Amino acid sequence: MIRTPLRPLARILEARSRGENPDAIERENIRLRHEEMRDRARRRAEGRLLVLAVFFFCAFSLVGGRMAVLAQSEPGKPRTSVAGASILAQRADIVDREGRILATNFDTHSLYAQPRDMIDPDHAADKLVEIFPDLDRARLIRDFTGTRKFLWIKKKISPEQQQAVHDIGEPGLLFGPREMRLYPNGSLAAHVLGGASFGREGVHAAEVVGVAGIEKYFDERLRDPARAHQPLTLSLDLSVQAAMERVLHGGMKIMNAKGAAGILMEVDTGEVVAVASLPDFDPNDRPAAPTEGNPDDSPLFNRAVQGVYELGSVFKVFAVSQALELGLVNPDTMINTQSPMQWGKFRIRDFRNYGPELSVTKVIVKSSNVGTARIAMDIGAARQRDFLDKLGFMQASPLEITEASGSAPLLPKNWSELSTMTISYGHGLSTSPMHLAAAYATIANGGRRVTPTLVHGATPTPGERVISETTADAMRHMMRKVVSEGTASFGEVAGYAVGGKTGTADKPKARGGGYYDDKVIATFASIFPAHDPKYVLIVTLDEPVETSGDEPRRTAGWTAVPVAAEIIRRVAPLMGLRPEIEPADLAAIRRASN
């Protein structure tokens, strides 16, 4: 750029010749130069503002265009419209130990409406009510003719319903693909499976999440995409489960019981082969949780793990086991059973008068409260509590369903000498049938603690030794006698040498204030075959009453025992147990030959 000199020589000479001041020429040139610089800076700033204006115009045009595209797109439920979030609908199957399906996925469709695209809302509402009678016609018309742009009608529909809706011919009724959880066996093992529902939802997909039972406990594993094709294998046997539930249901009806629970467990591994709670429900249409009334009035209540009650005389086995282990008694030790037994102002009585004394074996066979209480006095509160803790009666059951976490036994606030005596025969400590099954399995397998599980195939780690094999063998012998000549005579099943112990406990009132006079919890805890136990079976009836005789009978020997015997008779062959002749009692043979 050529700049004009501030003091051009020609003009300076000319100004001097005319007598003018040459400095005025310099000042004028400086002024002109500054004006030129100012104009140039203004033009540069105006150019930059123009570029910025064009940039902002393009940016706002892009945003506006994107908003227009989104406004014309298919809407989804707001809570699922998170940028970058994908809905995983895939969920692994659940199978039994033989690989038979217990829970799987089913491809179906959802039904939704875009009212602004509807041609005849009234006609569409009429037809939808015919297809889905539970819909409210007035509400549909209100929604179809209002300001809503999107409306869920049904989250899942059958192929037949989809075709019927399609035949309406309404362009505002649309379908979205969906995967739902299906339980092909209906209510079978309902309390174990629990159920599933929808989590995050969109028009084109829905996330299936577990809401109860094993579906919720293993929810993260079942939803893991990397393991979607690896089914979760349970320890349940579908055939055995079906047989148990059928017999248990019939027994509950015959015995006029409010509810029932049954548990079949392997004594060595703790695997639960079958577990049932009645009444039950269909997880395909899981009912809503009750908001009032007693929890056990709902079919959702799992009596096998949530039913925490005093279970009665089934606990006598533990008192005698501990006394044998401590060397305080042997099976032939004579125990004072003079009834009633006085302790302060309290009296402990037997169901019948068994005479002044009984052997330890007879205390179990006859189910003497007095005899068991005297044995417990020798054991003491501290040692009794420690022993029951080793058997698992101080913690919630570790079973792999969410409901088990709330099954912690109810312990006495003050474990006094009186508590020690009453707990020895099953009063003063409330627990669940699942706790009882694990404790009986500990005795049945030779004395090692058992942890119940619903997962098949896991390598079991031997539990700590609770009692010696000698003590366990003596207890199995006593439990066999309970069936062959004691309170559980109706439990005899030819070829399977059933052993066990009955328990009948008065049912406490729901809001405290003592016990009912005519309501009991009847339990039969059994092992079979008694000489070489493979399984433990627990049957518990809630408020049973047997009415075939002149007087109503509520004890476990008349109610729970026959039901358990029929279950064993049905399921033992299904599990590959062949009937066999029971080995003779060598000690009895020697006594008879002398």
Side-chain angles (χ1 to χ4, degrees):
M1 180 179 66
I2 300 175
R3 301 183 64 178
T4 302
L6 295 178
R7 297 176 65 90
L9 180 61
R11 290 188 62 186
I12 292 297
L13 294 175
E14 183 180 353
R16 285 179 177 175
S17 65
R18 291 198 301 265
E20 296 176 355
N21 186 1
D23 293 335
I25 297 174
E26 183 179 0
R27 288 195 296 271
E28 178 62 15
N29 286 336
I30 290 174
R31 183 184 67 80
L32 293 174
R33 181 176 292 182
H34 286 173
E35 286 180 355
E36 182 182 1
M37 292 172 62
R38 181 194 61 195
D39 293 338
R40 190 164 55 248
R42 181 186 294 112
R43 288 192 297 272
R44 185 165 54 248
E46 288 174 350
R48 289 176 179 176
L49 288 175
L50 179 61
V51 171
L52 284 175
V54 172
F55 173 81
F56 278 108
F57 175 81
C58 294
F60 279 107
S61 298
L62 181 62
V63 172
R66 180 58 180 165
M67 292 177 65
V69 171
L70 291 176
Q72 296 295 324
S73 64
E74 201 171 52
K77 205 166 184 179
R79 63 178 179 147
T80 62
S81 56
V82 181
S86 61
I87 297 178
L88 299 177
Q90 200 171 34
R91 190 174 180 87
D93 290 345
I94 301 176
V95 299
D96 79 341
R97 60 171 56 205
E98 300 296 332
R100 293 169 289 198
I101 293 291
L102 297 174
T104 189
N105 304 317
F106 180 73
D107 291 331
T108 183
H109 287 82
S110 61
L111 173 62
Y112 64 96
Q114 292 182 336
R116 64 183 179 182
D117 295 333
M118 299 186 75
I119 297 174
D120 190 348
D122 291 347
H123 174 71
D126 291 336
K127 291 297 183 180
L128 287 174
V129 171
E130 291 180 10
I131 301 170
F132 309 104
D134 58 316
L135 295 179
D136 185 342
R137 180 182 181 277
R139 182 173 181 178
L140 284 176
I141 293 177
R142 186 167 61 251
D143 291 335
F144 290 165
T145 57
T147 59
R148 299 186 65 174
K149 296 182 179 180
F150 176 85
L151 173 67
W152 282 116
I153 298 177
K154 283 289 183 179
K155 299 294 184 68
K156 52 186 179 181
I157 59 176
S158 67
E160 293 79 10
Q161 291 171 330
Q162 182 185 8
Q163 183 61 46
V165 174
H166 181 75
D167 292 341
I168 297 175
E170 176 59 66
L173 297 178
L174 303 171
F175 307 102
R178 177 152 301 199
E179 187 177 79
M180 61 174 283
R181 199 63 163 168
L182 177 67
Y183 303 92
N185 304 296
S187 62
L188 198 64
H191 288 92
V192 172
L193 298 171
S197 184
F198 294 120
R200 296 185 302 152
E201 294 181 86
V203 172
H204 296 295
E207 186 178 48
V208 181
V209 297
V211 297
I214 210 159
E215 287 273 26
K216 186 173 183 180
Y217 189 92
F218 285 108
D219 187 58
E220 185 175 345
R221 180 253 186 266
L222 292 169
R223 291 165 57 192
D224 184 358
R227 307 174 72 180
H229 300 291
Q230 300 175 14
L232 175 63
T233 303
L234 302 189
S235 60
L236 299 183
D237 186 307
L238 192 61
S239 300
V240 176
Q241 180 76 26
M244 172 188 276
E245 289 194 20
R246 178 170 295 186
V247 175
L248 198 62
H249 182 270
M252 185 180 78
K253 296 300 182 184
I254 292 172
M255 301 302 172
N256 306 293
K258 173 185 176 181
I263 301 169
L264 183 66
M265 179 186 294
E266 292 180 349
V267 301
D268 293 321
T269 64
E271 290 193 8
V272 178
V273 181
V275 55
S277 175
L278 299 176
D280 56 10
F281 62 94
D282 187 348
N284 292 299
D285 187 20
R286 183 179 170 87
T291 57
E292 57 184 16
N294 296 328
D296 59 358
D297 291 335
S298 169
L300 297 177
F301 187 75
N302 188 344
R303 298 174 190 275
V305 295
Q306 292 176 291
V308 178
Y309 296 116
E310 295 175 346
L311 296 178
S313 296
V314 290
F315 263 65
K316 292 174 181 174
V317 167
F318 308 132
V320 173
S321 297
Q322 186 177 13
L324 290 174
E325 188 68 16
L326 293 173
L328 301 176
V329 297
N330 62 55
D332 297 321
T333 301
M334 301 306 294
I335 304 297
N336 180 3
T337 55
Q338 191 69 44
S339 182
M341 176 184 176
Q342 192 76 29
W343 192 93
K345 63 178 181 179
F346 299 98
R347 290 186 175 185
I348 298 175
R349 300 178 181 273
D350 281 332
F351 188 71
R352 292 188 179 88
N353 184 5
Y354 299 123
E357 60 180 12
L358 291 173
S359 68
V360 171
T361 299
K362 288 295 184 181
V363 166
I364 293 295
V365 172
K366 298 293 185 182
S367 196
S368 170
N369 294 339
V370 174
T372 309
R374 293 194 186 280
I375 293 173
M377 289 178 67
D378 293 336
I379 294 172
R383 290 194 295 189
Q384 182 191 56
R385 181 173 183 138
D386 181 65
F387 183 73
L388 293 179
D389 186 22
K390 290 180 179 179
L391 287 172
F393 284 112
M394 301 295 155
Q395 307 88 25
S397 173
L399 198 70
E400 300 95 339
I401 56 175
T402 55
E403 293 77 9
S405 61
S407 66
L410 302 179
L411 310 176
K413 294 180 180 179
N414 177 25
W415 205 299
S416 63
E417 186 177 22
L418 179 61
S419 296
T420 301
M421 290 187 285
T422 59
I423 288 172
S424 71
Y425 54 84
H427 290 266
L429 186 152
S430 299
T431 188
S432 72
M434 188 60 68
H435 285 92
L436 189 68
Y440 266 71
T442 298
I443 295 174
N445 70 15
R448 289 195 175 275
R449 180 170 174 173
V450 168
T451 300
T453 180
L454 283 165
V455 179
H456 179 59
T459 304
T461 56
E464 67 170 314
R465 180 162 292 283
V466 180
I467 58 175
S468 66
E469 292 188 8
T470 302
T471 300
D473 185 65
M475 292 313 304
R476 293 195 296 265
H477 181 75
M478 292 183 197
M479 285 191 281
R480 176 62 184 134
K481 282 184 174 293
V482 171
V483 175
S484 62
E485 56 188 72
T487 58
S489 57
F490 288 150
E492 194 71 83
V493 179
Y496 292 105
V498 179
K501 184 70 189 74
T502 56
T504 306
D506 293 333
K507 187 175 181 179
K509 294 180 180 179
R511 293 175 176 80
Y515 297 83
Y516 292 106
D517 294 329
D518 58 350
K519 295 180 181 181
V520 301
I521 301 294
T523 303
F524 182 46
S526 58
I527 61 175
F528 63 98
H531 56 275
D532 184 20
K534 296 292 189 298
Y535 299 96
V536 162
L537 173 65
I538 307 294
V539 171
T540 298
L541 299 180
D542 188 356
E543 300 181 16
V545 53
E546 199 277 327
T547 57
S548 64
D550 296 333
E551 295 183 0
R553 291 171 286 213
R554 296 180 174 84
T555 59
W558 285 96
T559 57
V561 172
V563 177
E566 184 60 25
I567 291 175
I568 294 172
R569 193 174 291 111
R570 296 279 189 92
V571 305
L574 295 176
M575 297 184 296
L577 285 181
R578 295 184 177 182
E580 60 183 9
I581 299 175
E582 184 179 1
D585 185 345
L586 297 180
I589 293 175
R590 293 192 189 98
R591 285 196 297 270
S593 62
N594 288 337

